[in-house]
Amino acid sequence: MNRRSIARDFKRNKWLYVLALPVVIYYVLFQYLPMYGAVIAFQNYTPMKGIWGSEWIGLEHFRSFFNSYYFWRLLGNTVLLSLYSLLFEFTAPIVLALLIHEVRSRYIKSFVQTVSFMPYFISLIVVSSLIKDLTHSGGIVNLAYTWLTGGDGQDMLQQPGLFRGIYVLSEIWQRMGWESIIYAAALTTIPREQYEAARIDGASRLRQMISITLPGLLPTIMVMGILRMGRLLEVGYEKILLLYNPVIYGTADVVSTFVYRKGLLDNDWSFSSAIGLFNSAINLLLLLSANALSRKINQNSLW
């Protein structure tokens, strides 16, 4: 596209460009300009000297992090929690959308959709408080768990082995309904004629789901999967910060929460920035790999 065609396109769609302007300003101010501060990961940053006056130390903070006692624990917890979320939290909305799609009653379908995505609108603070109350030594979830397993009734958030299960289940409960909307919308684009032709051929509903519904949903699943891979090491650290405590750091502490403690509580900004930069670099690598793999398998990718 040459300059003349760009000018012609701008003249023809000038109001669309005006509508897009606030979004562009937002990304420039809050997404791209803050990247400038990432250089303190290579410095011993002090506020008195500023970014360009602080001492440059190269990769020293990265080496300290890789050689620290916490590195493998943080990486292991982050990867495990991300994989559990990818395995269960990512697939739950797909299953829900498929089940709702099979319901013939419009009223039941609307009721299930409404009830399932209401938890998404509950504040994270309220959700975390509910989890703490329900899993407390006298909470109903704790009582049910103790009755089923014969445990001693100890607070479930004081037991390191239970944290990942509590976190993933709460994420499924809160996000499953909302995220299923995307898949439900994709299902509406599948031509009804395909189902009618399958029924005439005698295909059961299970066969229709396998041969028509799932292939029609696959491009959306791949795109959502690629986007999820780009956030694999971030997990929902806000909820972890609200739920965890030093007793369960062994299974609950992840890279993002460690960055928060080092940066905001210990005021070690350079070290914290180095860890955050490492985390973002891994996420970018995973995103590029997932996109390339998807393009190679089924020619479906983000770019």
Side-chain angles (χ1 to χ4, degrees), residues 79-100:
V79 171
L80 278 178
L81 206 53
S82 299
L83 289 178
Y84 288 152
S85 296
L86 190 65
L87 189 61
F88 299 107
E89 186 198 335
F90 180 70
T91 54
I94 301 170
V95 174
L96 179 64
L98 290 173
L99 292 175
I100 291 176

Side-chain angles (χ1 to χ4, degrees), residues 6-246:
I6 292 175
R8 191 164 49 244
D9 183 70
F10 180 78
K11 187 176 181 181
R12 186 187 304 127
N13 302 303
K14 59 183 177 183
W15 293 115
L16 289 179
Y17 285 103
V18 171
L19 285 174
L21 191 59
V23 179
V24 174
I25 292 174
Y26 166 81
Y27 274 95
V28 170
L29 289 180
F30 299 105
Q31 301 293 331
Y32 289 100
L33 284 182
M35 290 184 186
Y36 165 72
V39 297
I40 68 173
F42 306 96
Q43 299 177 322
N44 268 333
Y45 173 75
T46 56
M48 297 298 293
K49 296 180 180 178
I51 289 182
W52 298 112
S54 299
E55 179 190 6
W56 291 85
I57 59 170
L59 300 175
E60 184 58 34
H61 289 308
F62 293 92
R63 280 193 287 269
S64 298
F65 178 56
F66 297 150
N67 295 324
S68 72
Y69 163 78
Y70 301 104
F71 176 71
W72 289 111
R73 187 185 79 177
L74 293 170
L75 191 62
N77 288 341
T78 306
V79 171
L80 278 178
L81 206 53
S82 299
L83 289 178
Y84 288 152
S85 296
L86 190 65
L87 189 61
F88 299 107
E89 186 198 335
F90 180 70
T91 54
I94 301 170
V95 174
L96 179 64
L98 290 173
L99 292 175
I100 291 176
H101 183 68
E102 293 300 316
V103 175
R104 292 291 177 254
S105 171
R106 185 162 56 89
Y107 299 104
I108 295 177
K109 188 180 292 189
S110 300
F111 176 76
V112 173
Q113 284 179 324
T114 303
V115 170
S116 63
F117 68 63
M118 283 179 67
Y120 181 80
F121 298 101
I122 302 176
S123 163
L124 187 59
I125 303 294
V126 175
V127 171
S128 300
S129 300
L130 277 174
I131 294 171
K132 286 183 176 178
D133 287 341
L134 293 173
T135 58
H136 195 261
S137 56
I140 188 169
V141 173
N142 195 321
L143 292 175
Y145 177 77
T146 304
W147 181 72
L148 288 172
T149 62
D152 56 4
Q154 184 186 354
D155 189 337
M156 295 174 74
L157 286 177
Q158 297 289 331
Q159 303 179 54
L162 298 179
F163 177 79
R164 290 175 186 140
I166 294 172
Y167 173 83
V168 173
L169 286 175
S170 67
E171 283 289 287
I172 291 174
W173 171 73
Q174 193 175 10
R175 307 180 67 87
M176 177 175 64
W178 178 258
E179 294 182 0
S180 70
I181 294 175
I182 298 171
Y183 301 107
L187 287 173
T188 61
T189 63
I190 300 175
R192 304 304 302 176
E193 292 79 8
Q194 293 186 19
Y195 291 102
E196 292 171 5
R199 281 195 291 272
I200 292 173
D201 291 340
S204 64
R205 295 181 69 173
L206 180 61
R207 171 53 60 186
Q208 292 175 39
M209 180 186 291
I210 295 173
S211 302
I212 301 174
T213 309
L214 281 177
L217 199 58
L218 188 60
T220 305
I221 294 174
M222 295 299 291
V223 170
M224 297 301 292
I226 294 170
L227 292 174
R228 175 60 68 94
M229 289 299 291
R231 296 181 285 113
L232 192 65
L233 292 188
E234 289 183 359
V235 291
Y237 70 93
E238 298 96 340
K239 183 182 285 184
I240 297 175
L241 282 173
L242 293 169
L243 292 179
Y244 80 164
N245 57 72

